[in-house]
Amino acid sequence: SSNKRVLILAGDGIGPEVMGQVERVMEWLSARRSFSFDVQSGLVGGVSYEAHGTPLTDETLADAVAADAVLFGAVGGPQWDSVAREARPEMGILRLRKEMDLYANLRPALVFDPLVEASTLKDEVVRGLDLMIVRELTGGIYFGEPRGVETLPDGTRRGFDTEVYSAPEIERVSRVAFELARRRDNRVHSVEKANVMESGKFWRDEVTALHAADYTDVALEHMYADNCAMQLVRRPKQFDVIVTSNLFGDLLSDCAAMLTGSLGIPSDEGGNRKALYEPVHGSAPDIVGQNLANPLAALLSFTMMLRYSFGAADDADLIEAAVQDVLAGGLRTADIMQDGMTAASTDAMGDAVLGALDARAA
Ligand code: NAD
Ligand code: IPM
Ligand code: MN
């Protein structure tokens, strides 16, 4: 038995609500199985801003780098809308990504059979769906310079950002996608707007060259981002692995999340040995404090941590099976329920998962 050092950064809004359920499952694992966690927690986002005037302190960043893995909840909220950009809660996660060099963000969209009905799309369009978006996470327009707001000589004010990708940035994230595809269905779609953007054309050329050099066994297709958005709702099962830029990946992963019935999908930010795991959803200010949030995305992010950071596939399988049991039994939080169902609370969902774990472990 080995102690894994996990830093929990629950953040704002529903972050602490969903992370509370994850902690219950961690305790269950520690008590019942060989696994043991040294759990530390810290502040990030708006709660850190309130306490320290910054969304991420150097101390918390150092804790994140020192941990074996980081579990992240969500950041942000309308109460911080007027805060200057550098101090906004969202800068907390952006700085973690950059400083930890988490350049490859894996965002799976997996449709659980019992949840097919929760998708807004037809049964046959989504049943059995299993795709993976590899989103570049430390470059592109999120970090490109120059950026800012300026006043031109004629008095016109304007805001601007820069989309920029270097060859090494494109190569390392594309390698992650090709390697993943080899362990899946061996197909990659590289997504950009090479028809309009210089950086998009460059992206396409670099991916093409890498493919020719090292990955000719993987089927590669190029697709424009707008078409990809359309194809995701038209025929999502055509995709296996999608690799794309930071901004397109942000949009396309929210779209893909909804194919599964909910924003409740997990997300693994890594690329190096260090990794951070978080649900794709945000702080959900509209439902905060009401015990309504779906904790499954956070819980499934934790199973990705078990699987990819700690090599504990059996524990991850067990928790995923327990989640399947609960969904097959008909329990639903409000975001994934159909007409005529009663919404289960966040706590009730957590109780049910623990119950299913007990039943499977008995
Ligand atoms: P959001 O994901 O917070 O919410 C979008 C919608 O989905 C809301 O109606 C919300 O109630 C619902 N929803 C989200 N997660 C849910 C869950 N677990 N269970 C049930 N319903 C859920 O996105 P938003 O409203 O665009 O943004 C709100 C704030 O969150 C903003 O400040 C934004 O910057 C931030 N945000 C943070 C992250 C992150 O921390 N990684 C991600 C996205 C948005
Ligand atoms: C996400 C979020 C973040 C992003 C925000 C909160 C900075 O939307 O993780 O998808 O845009 O990357
Ligand atoms: Mn997003």
Side-chain angles (χ1 to χ4, degrees):
S1 112
S2 57
N3 275 23
K4 303 295 184 190
R5 287 188 304 167
V6 176
L7 176 67
I8 296 186
L9 300 174
D12 306 320
I14 63 167
E17 298 174 39
V18 296
M19 208 52 81
Q21 302 305 323
V22 176
E23 289 179 77
R24 293 175 73 195
V25 171
M26 290 175 82
E27 281 157 23
W28 187 94
L29 271 187
S30 296
R32 309 288 173 109
R33 297 176 70 89
S34 55
F35 235 85
S36 179
F37 301 99
D38 279 341
V39 180
Q40 196 193 345
S41 47
L43 299 178
V44 71
V47 289
S48 174
Y49 174 75
E50 297 302 336
H52 305 295
T54 170
L56 182 73
T57 62
D58 293 341
E59 291 74 20
T60 304
L61 174 61
D63 289 342
V65 171
D68 291 313
V70 179
L71 266 178
F72 185 94
V75 290
Q79 60 270 56
W80 300 291
D81 273 352
S82 54
V83 171
R85 200 184 69 85
E86 284 306 314
R88 279 183 66 97
E90 289 80 358
M91 282 306 290
I93 182 68
L94 293 177
R95 184 159 174 236
L96 277 166
R97 289 170 178 170
K98 193 71 175 174
E99 304 272 344
M100 292 175 74
D101 204 19
L102 306 170
Y103 61 83
N105 179 197
L106 312 189
R107 295 192 160 182
L110 199 86
V111 172
F112 292 115
D113 270 349
L115 277 189
V116 164
E117 306 284 301
S119 174
T120 49
L121 299 189
K122 292 195 191 95
D123 185 318
E124 66 266 25
V125 176
V126 293
R127 186 179 294 276
L129 176 72
D130 177 3
L131 68 82
M132 180 70 88
I133 295 180
V134 180
R135 171 190 176 193
E136 199 292 326
L137 204 59
T138 51
I141 202 163
Y142 272 61
F143 297 96
E145 298 286 346
R147 59 195 297 144
V149 175
E150 66 184 8
T151 305
L152 298 178
D154 75 354
T156 309
R157 278 164 43 77
R158 66 177 190 180
F160 53 98
D161 297 274
T162 301
E163 172 79 345
V164 53
Y165 272 111
S166 68
E169 285 177 314
I170 298 167
E171 181 188 330
R172 65 182 185 170
V173 74
S174 301
R175 274 195 196 282
V176 171
F178 284 125
E179 297 287 341
L180 258 173
R182 279 183 175 161
R183 288 181 273 132
R184 294 173 47 101
D185 199 35
N186 221 29
R187 295 183 297 116
V188 170
H189 281 81
S190 172
V191 171
E192 25 59 6
K193 276 184 72 77
N195 51 343
V196 181
M197 297 164 66
E198 291 294 340
S199 58
K201 176 74 169 66
F202 185 67
W203 178 289
R204 181 174 292 215
D205 292 345
E206 290 299 306
V207 174
T208 301
L210 177 66
H211 177 255
D214 289 343
Y215 297 101
T216 47
D217 57 306
V218 180
L220 170 68
E221 279 187 55
H222 302 279
M223 191 179 263
Y224 298 137
D226 50 349
N227 183 31
C228 181
M230 186 271 275
Q231 296 294 340
L232 271 175
V233 272
R234 189 179 79 101
R235 210 163 52 80
K237 283 189 265 184
Q238 72 188 279
F239 297 108
D240 178 28
V241 175
I242 292 172
V243 62
T244 190
S245 65
N246 205 339
L247 182 62
F248 290 150
D250 183 43
L251 270 60
L252 295 173
S253 64
D254 259 42
C255 178
M258 213 48 222
L259 303 172
T260 71
S262 162
L263 264 178
I265 71 167
S267 171
D268 160 2
E269 315 198 334
N272 287 324
R273 224 168 38 77
K274 296 287 177 191
L276 177 149
Y277 300 83
E278 62 161 334
V280 170
H281 64 71
S283 55
D286 53 336
I287 58 167
V288 68
Q290 299 172 55
N291 204 12
L292 281 175
N294 184 347
L296 294 182
L299 187 57
L300 294 170
S301 301
F302 170 61
T303 68
M304 289 180 85
M305 167 182 287
L306 288 173
R307 203 180 288 285
Y308 300 121
S309 280
F310 300 151
D314 50 344
D315 294 286
D317 288 346
L318 178 70
I319 297 168
E320 285 169 14
V323 168
Q324 291 268 19
D325 292 345
V326 169
L327 294 174
L331 200 75
R332 301 281 187 275
T333 44
D335 56 314
I336 50 175
M337 73 181 184
Q338 288 101 59
D339 295 345
M341 289 179 165
T342 334
S345 67
T346 309
D347 291 333
M349 188 55 94
D351 292 345
V353 171
L354 289 174
L357 282 171
D358 280 335
R360 282 187 170 265

